[in-house]
Amino acid sequence: MTEPKYRRIAAALKDAIAAGEYGPGDRLPGENDLMAAHGVARMTARQALGVLQSEGLAEARKGAGVFVRTASPLRRLSIQRLARRQWGSGNSVWAADTADRDLVVDQVAVDEQPAHQRIAAVLEVAPAAPVCVRRRRYVLDGEPVMISTSYLPTALVAGSPITRPDTGPGGTYARLKDLGYEPVRFREEIRSRMPTAEEVARLALPGGTPVMLVCRTAFTARGDAVEVNEMVMDANAYVLEYDFEA
Amino acid sequence: MTEPKYRRIAAALKDAIAAGEYGPGDRLPGENDLMAAHGVARMTARQALGVLQSEGLAEARKGAGVFVRTASPLRRLSIQRLARRQWGSGNSVWAADTADRDLVVDQVAVDEQPAHQRIAAVLEVAPAAPVCVRRRRYVLDGEPVMISTSYLPTALVAGSPITRPDTGPGGTYARLKDLGYEPVRFREEIRSRMPTAEEVARLALPGGTPVMLVCRTAFTARGDAVEVNEMVMDANAYVLEYDFEA
């Protein structure tokens, strides 16, 4: 089987990116350049550039060409960042990951809602029992990268700072500890899919960009689930890292 | 802002799937059905079905309609499955995850190659130093779900069963232990992107399906990286789970 021409051209462009000939934010050769350089038809040149876009390596900007993606992904060290020495000392659990980068939390909204069935099942509350819902968006170096929604049983957190936008030093986990529900164990479940229209809008996702979903559940020493946190991440913006022993 | 009609129809279909009205493998209402039921144009009905396909909930089969996806994802418990009690006792590290499911490994190929720069950097071998490359594909319940490629320094594994297709009881990690390079610590790095054309072909991926990439590095007690395993998974076929303490 001979590799189609557009794939050979795409492979050459990928090699050039890997070699640093085109850096983040650089404009790639246009259709006319590729037609001249490789002696191919416009459709072939377009397909080659399409490969890089569909793989998330490049993005088209209207009328300006196709550019190497700029975002260098944020490395998220789940196990280290959720260690008690982080939030137990009053640091944000995010501090571990975002050295030298500008991370802003916006669109914070806290309210009370009846629990969806899937959330009620994990938190072991009655279906439609009231839960505290904390929504926020994370913006890294000016680009929205994650939508995060936490659910906690109202029965546990009513009246506490967890029900207010600013939860104070150490955040939600430090406050859960204050309330006698210290998280000592976490489960993270990771999936990936194409984004919904709402996610495309809120995360300003270019075409060909999936989302990674991380659903974290926090458990107390008694084994009770006290928080479910559903995160939706721009897959291009994150590398999730887990380090553990055999 | 009013929600467009096609999105309301898509939401209704999603609710019906969540409620079990349409189970895995069931045919969803067709364009004509949706046009009649909701009084919309064909394009609107098609867009609604397109939403479910692009989110990976449904797939079109040529000439037969749009069907609810059948694959129930495989839950991959990384930390438990890589515990020494698994492979140390001669079990496959896969045994932990695949109870009651039919997992077949095919397309096994082992050869020696010069290390790519990124692999050489992690294994701390000279660029283009020889590495043992083990490729295989995992087929779950008859569907290909993962391509896996391991790299180990030839200097460590030459002449051992690791260079043969069948590595014996406990697999590569048990053999590394036999050689004096027991893995005691692992790093897994997870990303997601749209698949390459080759990945679409090897994993038989329908449209709108991203891949999850897991890059695992195995370290000895001395801190030496002895294996890099790059996995490419059908994102629809896997949930990755990590359980850990605060």
Side-chain angles (χ1 to χ4, degrees):
Chain A
M1 192 176 87
T2 321
E3 194 175 30
K5 268 187 196 163
Y6 76 91
R7 285 189 54 192
R8 270 184 285 148
I9 299 171
L13 288 170
K14 284 191 246 180
D15 286 345
I17 293 170
E21 282 176 51
Y22 302 103
D26 284 355
R27 186 179 174 283
L28 290 173
E31 292 175 10
N32 291 331
D33 303 319
L34 294 176
M35 289 162 68
H38 297 274
V40 296
R42 181 169 303 279
M43 186 53 71
T44 305
R46 190 172 298 168
Q47 281 181 301
L49 290 167
V51 167
L52 276 78
Q53 291 169 69
S54 73
E55 294 180 16
L57 294 169
E59 62 185 271
R61 297 186 201 148
K62 244 181 194 158
V66 176
F67 292 78
V68 179
R69 282 275 184 91
T70 48
S72 70
L74 184 63
R75 181 168 292 267
R76 182 173 175 281
L77 292 154
S78 286
I79 297 176
Q80 290 87 331
R81 62 201 292 281
L82 289 168
R84 259 175 287 190
R85 63 178 180 276
Q86 280 292 322
W87 53 266
S89 64
N91 290 318
S92 157
V93 293
W94 277 95
D97 299 341
T98 54
D100 302 325
R101 307 201 58 176
D102 179 37
L103 187 79
V104 173
V105 180
D106 71 0
Q107 301 184 354
V108 179
V110 187
D111 60 11
E112 190 177 290
Q113 285 180 4
H116 280 122
Q117 205 174 345
R118 74 177 190 293
I119 300 295
V122 178
L123 291 177
E124 297 188 50
V125 297
V131 288
C132 169
V133 182
R134 302 185 52 87
R135 297 171 205 281
R136 62 272 193 200
R137 190 177 71 158
Y138 291 83
V139 180
L140 181 70
D141 297 338
E143 310 275 355
V145 291
M146 180 168 79
I147 304 160
S148 175
T149 309
S150 290
Y151 303 86
L152 304 101
T154 295
L156 302 189
V157 302
S160 82
I162 291 172
T163 63
R164 297 196 283 273
D166 183 0
T167 51
T172 295
Y173 294 149
R175 295 299 81 70
L176 280 170
K177 184 181 177 184
D178 296 344
L179 292 166
Y181 304 110
E182 181 181 24
V184 300
R185 193 164 61 78
F186 296 101
R187 176 175 67 211
E188 293 196 343
E189 295 165 282
I190 302 162
R191 293 184 301 131
S192 168
R193 59 164 169 72
M194 292 313 285
T196 65
E198 191 203 338
E199 290 159 354
V200 167
R202 288 192 68 195
L203 293 172
L205 295 172
T209 308
V211 285
M212 283 198 286
L213 311 178
V214 177
C215 177
R216 179 169 67 223
T217 309
F219 296 92
T220 65
R222 290 181 46 200
D224 296 325
V226 288
E227 185 213 32
V228 175
N229 185 349
E230 293 188 320
M231 294 164 257
V232 180
M233 302 171 173
D234 174 349
N236 202 52
Y238 281 95
V239 175
L240 308 181
E241 178 174 331
Y242 296 86
D243 296 271
F244 53 93
E245 296 189 357
Chain B
M1 190 179 83
T2 321
E3 194 174 31
K5 266 186 198 163
Y6 77 91
R7 285 189 54 192
R8 269 184 285 148
I9 299 171
L13 288 171
K14 283 191 247 182
D15 287 345
I17 292 171
E21 282 176 51
Y22 302 102
D26 284 356
R27 186 179 174 282
L28 290 172
E31 291 174 11
N32 292 331
D33 304 319
L34 294 176
M35 288 162 68
H38 297 274
V40 295
R42 181 171 303 278
M43 184 54 70
T44 305
R46 190 172 300 169
Q47 280 181 303
L49 290 168
V51 167
L52 275 79
Q53 290 168 71
S54 74
E55 293 179 15
L57 293 168
E59 62 185 273
R61 295 185 201 151
K62 244 181 196 158
V66 176
F67 293 79
V68 179
R69 281 275 185 92
T70 47
S72 71
L74 184 63
R75 182 168 290 268
R76 183 175 174 280
L77 293 153
S78 285
I79 297 176
Q80 291 86 328
R81 62 201 290 281
L82 288 168
R84 259 174 288 191
R85 63 177 178 278
Q86 279 292 320
W87 53 266
S89 64
N91 289 319
S92 156
V93 293
W94 278 95
D97 299 340
T98 53
D100 300 326
R101 304 194 65 172
D102 178 37
L103 187 79
V104 172
V105 180
D106 71 0
Q107 300 183 354
V108 178
V110 187
D111 59 10
E112 190 178 292
Q113 285 181 3
H116 281 121
Q117 205 175 344
R118 72 177 192 292
I119 300 295
V122 178
L123 292 177
E124 298 189 52
V125 297
V131 288
C132 169
V133 182
R134 301 185 54 86
R135 298 172 204 280
R136 61 271 193 202
R137 191 177 72 159
Y138 292 82
V139 180
L140 181 71
D141 298 337
E143 310 276 352
V145 291
M146 178 167 77
I147 304 161
S148 174
T149 309
S150 291
Y151 303 87
L152 303 102
T154 295
L156 302 189
V157 303
S160 82
I162 290 173
T163 63
R164 297 196 282 272
D166 182 0
T167 52
T172 295
Y173 294 150
R175 295 299 81 70
L176 279 170
K177 182 178 178 188
D178 296 344
L179 291 167
Y181 305 109
E182 182 182 21
V184 301
R185 193 165 60 76
F186 296 100
R187 176 175 69 209
E188 292 197 344
E189 296 165 280
I190 302 162
R191 294 184 300 131
S192 167
R193 59 162 169 73
M194 292 311 285
T196 65
E198 192 204 337
E199 290 160 355
V200 167
R202 289 192 68 193
L203 292 171
L205 295 170
T209 308
V211 286
M212 283 198 286
L213 311 178
V214 177
C215 178
R216 179 168 71 222
T217 309
F219 297 91
T220 65
R222 289 180 48 199
D224 295 325
V226 288
E227 184 214 33
V228 174
N229 185 348
E230 293 189 320
M231 293 164 257
V232 180
M233 301 171 173
D234 174 349
N236 202 52
Y238 281 95
V239 175
L240 309 180
E241 178 175 332
Y242 296 86
D243 297 272
F244 53 93
E245 296 188 357

